[in-house]
Amino acid sequence: MFSSKDFISNLLGIKDPNITLDENNPFETQMIGDVEAVIYHAVLTYTLKHCPNCGFKGQIVKNRTKTSRILLPNNNPRVSYLDLKKQRFLCRKCQSTTTAKTNVVKRSRWISEQVKLSVNLEAMHNSSLKDIAERHGISASSVQRLIIEANPSIMGNQCHHLPEHLLFDETKTTGGMYSFVMMDSRQHQLLEMLPSRLTKDLKRYFGRFSLAERQRIKTIVVDLNAAYVSFIPQIFPNAEIIIDRFHLVQMPNR
Ligand SMILES: [Zn+2]
């Protein structure tokens, strides 16, 4: 017979033996916005042998649960979530509470590690951030954050050949830092992410491409950030600078 454990580990790909499907209410379908979602219900629990706060090895009691909604890989065209009831533990000695941990999702995150892996696999095949985002039901900036998190050394080492039409942008990454993003403006493909948007760092980065290659660039779409605009003619002597319409529309609001 097909057990709940088989379902969790083989069909949902969840390899944590402490997670079991709620057999009374294993899943439901629900509309979230205009997308149909399948929501699986499961419980995460185990026995805690000592208190992570004070090290006490005595009475650690199970004390209620806390449910988090976790994004699972897409079950196209539907989005899948896991509503995971996480066990909470109370230490009788120091009175601190701890929530059960799992390798399915990092602490205080809602995107599962499986989704993170899937995003990163797709990113290796030159999909655009927007396409990957749509396929996984997350935002393009989340996709970018997942790629950088999984492989920080990827930054500044992806692009070896420049297309004729570029787009420069910047996004906020984890910790509120800005990173520089370069895309192919015609193919909408992500080409490069850099951890800094400072002119000196960008100049150093673009210095790796030969002058002949930089002269081939015909257009560069940018926002109104003066820092970018000022160095473009030096580095890309033949490129026409195009101010992105989206940013222009936003300008009166700034
Ligand atoms: Zn304790």
Side-chain angles (χ1 to χ4, degrees):
M1 208 187 117
F2 202 65
S3 73
S4 148
K5 270 218 150 42
D6 287 337
F7 185 84
I8 284 271
S9 94
N10 296 322
L11 286 179
L12 296 184
I14 293 170
K15 308 289 184 194
D16 185 335
N18 298 320
I19 292 179
T20 47
L21 205 62
D22 179 349
E23 286 182 25
N24 298 318
N25 181 21
F27 69 90
E28 62 183 307
T29 55
Q30 215 182 76
M31 291 302 288
I32 296 184
D34 52 2
V35 183
E36 191 181 7
V38 189
I39 299 159
Y40 297 95
H41 301 272
V43 180
L44 166 69
T45 187
Y46 49 84
T47 303
L48 197 61
K49 299 229 168 66
H50 62 264
C51 170
N53 185 48
C54 71
F56 179 55
K57 285 188 180 155
Q59 243 193 324
I60 316 289
V61 294
K62 291 182 176 177
N63 180 33
R64 294 200 286 266
T65 56
K66 184 185 169 206
T67 303
S68 328
R69 177 159 294 178
I70 301 160
L71 183 71
L72 294 176
N74 236 340
N75 183 0
N76 258 331
R78 300 186 295 188
V79 181
S80 302
Y81 292 99
L82 178 69
D83 272 3
L84 185 62
K85 237 185 226 182
K86 296 174 177 169
Q87 184 70 59
R88 286 175 66 81
F89 302 98
L90 171 71
C91 171
R92 286 280 187 227
K93 193 179 177 200
C94 72
Q95 302 300 318
S96 70
T97 54
T98 314
T99 306
K101 291 179 179 55
T102 172
N103 58 12
V104 169
V105 69
K106 285 247 164 71
R107 229 187 87 158
S108 65
R109 291 292 176 81
W110 66 280
I111 297 174
S112 68
E113 292 295 291
Q114 281 171 278
V115 170
K116 193 165 159 179
L117 183 66
S118 166
V119 160
N120 277 285
L121 286 173
E122 284 195 21
M124 281 161 54
H125 294 99
N126 267 340
S127 297
S128 80
L129 289 187
K130 201 169 150 272
D131 289 344
I132 301 176
E134 268 174 23
R135 278 196 291 275
H136 290 83
I138 56 180
S139 69
S141 61
S142 294
V143 169
Q144 191 201 348
R145 178 172 54 75
L146 294 176
I147 296 170
I148 298 171
E149 267 181 20
N151 188 2
S153 67
I154 205 171
M155 287 186 117
N157 286 309
Q158 289 198 100
C159 180
H160 304 290
H161 179 69
L162 298 170
E164 290 179 349
H165 302 279
L166 293 171
L167 180 149
F168 294 168
D169 204 353
E170 55 184 34
T171 51
K172 247 186 194 172
T173 50
T174 324
M177 299 288 288
Y178 276 97
S179 64
F180 176 84
V181 177
M182 176 168 70
M183 296 184 78
D184 180 326
S185 65
R186 295 283 161 95
Q187 306 297 323
H188 301 284
Q189 271 183 8
L190 172 73
L191 298 171
E192 189 69 274
M193 288 184 288
L194 301 174
S196 162
R197 57 173 180 161
L198 297 177
T199 303
K200 68 176 172 64
D201 295 327
L202 296 180
K203 277 185 176 172
R204 192 186 309 127
Y205 169 77
F206 285 112
R208 72 170 66 180
F209 299 97
S210 69
L211 177 63
E213 177 142 24
R214 288 182 275 122
Q215 281 171 333
R216 285 178 44 253
I217 311 306
K218 292 184 175 150
T219 65
I220 302 179
V221 180
V222 292
D223 71 6
L224 287 169
N225 188 316
Y228 297 161
V229 180
S230 67
F231 81 79
I232 290 173
Q234 300 168 33
I235 312 241
F236 303 98
N238 300 326
E240 181 194 345
I241 297 171
I242 300 170
I243 303 293
D244 184 3
R245 235 182 327 144
F246 175 71
H247 294 284
L248 266 184
V249 170
Q250 282 195 323
M251 191 170 60
N253 300 326
R254 282 186 186 169

